Amino acid sequence: PRVWPLNSAHFSHRITAMAYRPTEKTLARKAELRHRLIEAALHHVSNGGFGALTIVAVASHAGIATGAVYKHFDSKADLCAEVFRIATEREVAIVRETALGLGTPGQRLQRTVQAFAERALRNPRLAFALIAEPVDPLIDEQRLRYRQAYADVFFELLQHGIDTGEFADQTARVSAAALVGVIAESMVGPLIWATADQPAQDGAALIAAIQAFCLRAVGAKASV
């Protein structure tokens, strides 16, 4: 039989590639460290907004060298965008679960406003950072994407209310986007006051006012 010559360079390259192939343990450690960095970054945003998030502070909080952060994130903006994505996805998931859960469309609309507002008031600094804090364009791009995600949820809720006759006939897609804007903007002032040592906002009264406005805006029946 014919024996093919061994290409020593190719053989050496393959041995090197095999030697440095990540193991499950290595990948798990990398994932765990990335999680620690994100949690550290979220801690700083929750306490001081995106302005308080620095690579040095995050690395110190996570207990690693500053330079090691860049093995997981290309830049501070990249880390901020990931923190924004994860934090906002949690909120969108809760809004979706509430808005598309049990109850009439009007009841679900009221509960959704309540859930969103109560969570924002419990962590005003983080909520303000997610809703209105001036941010890097990369984060702003994420913010626009998730506003659409909220709008998609409200669209389903409104369309159900329109189909059952509980809400007035309207263009559900436009109304859904408008509701997202109303709810977010109505929270900005109270969130600023909550982070500026102002008198505590009457959360129940605030939520009731937003709920009433949203129900009027969609033309809900008085019995809702």
Side-chain angles (χ1 to χ4, degrees):
R2 183 175 183 180
V3 178
W4 293 94
L6 178 66
N7 185 326
S8 60
H10 177 70
F11 182 74
S12 175
H13 172 74
R14 291 199 60 184
I15 290 295
T16 302
M18 290 173 64
Y20 287 97
R21 182 176 297 166
T23 64
E24 289 186 11
K25 185 176 180 180
T26 301
L27 293 173
R29 173 173 168 72
K30 184 177 181 181
E32 188 274 334
L33 184 52
R34 180 182 174 87
H35 175 74
R36 275 166 50 196
L37 288 171
I38 291 172
E39 288 300 309
L42 184 58
H43 168 80
H44 287 285
V45 175
S46 296
N47 286 278
F50 284 104
L53 191 161
T54 67
I55 296 297
V56 172
V58 169
S60 176
H61 191 101
I64 68 170
T66 302
V69 177
Y70 294 103
K71 294 181 180 179
H72 301 269
F73 301 96
D74 293 336
S75 63
K76 174 185 171 180
D78 185 36
L79 174 57
C80 286
E82 182 68 0
V83 169
F84 184 95
R85 182 188 68 78
I86 290 173
T88 306
E89 279 187 353
R90 293 174 184 172
E91 302 306 316
V92 172
I94 290 169
V95 165
R96 181 181 294 110
E97 181 181 359
T98 309
L100 305 181
L102 300 176
T104 67
Q107 291 169 342
R108 285 185 275 132
L109 177 55
Q110 292 180 86
R111 286 201 299 267
T112 302
V113 170
Q114 182 174 356
F116 181 89
E118 285 181 344
R119 288 179 60 80
L121 292 172
R122 276 199 297 269
N123 194 340
R125 197 63 193 84
L126 175 62
F128 180 77
L130 298 179
I131 294 172
E133 181 180 347
V135 289
D136 182 275
L138 190 58
I139 308 173
D140 220 19
E141 180 182 331
Q142 294 267 20
R143 183 177 282 161
L144 290 174
R145 184 178 305 157
Y146 282 106
R147 283 181 77 102
Q148 184 58 54
Y150 281 119
D152 289 342
V153 173
F154 278 104
F155 168 75
E156 289 191 54
L157 172 58
L158 288 177
Q159 193 61 61
H160 185 206
I162 294 167
D163 291 343
T164 60
E166 188 173 339
F167 298 158
D169 189 26
Q170 59 201 283
T171 305
R173 187 66 67 184
V174 174
S175 297
L179 283 182
V180 173
V182 164
I183 296 169
E185 290 301 319
S186 63
M187 293 299 301
V188 171
L191 292 175
I192 293 175
W193 301 332
T195 60
D197 298 324
Q198 295 293 325
Q201 175 77 25
D202 183 345
L206 172 66
I207 292 169
I210 300 173
Q211 288 172 324
F213 182 90
C214 290
L215 288 173
R216 289 197 303 271
V218 300
K221 293 180 179 179
S223 58
V224 172

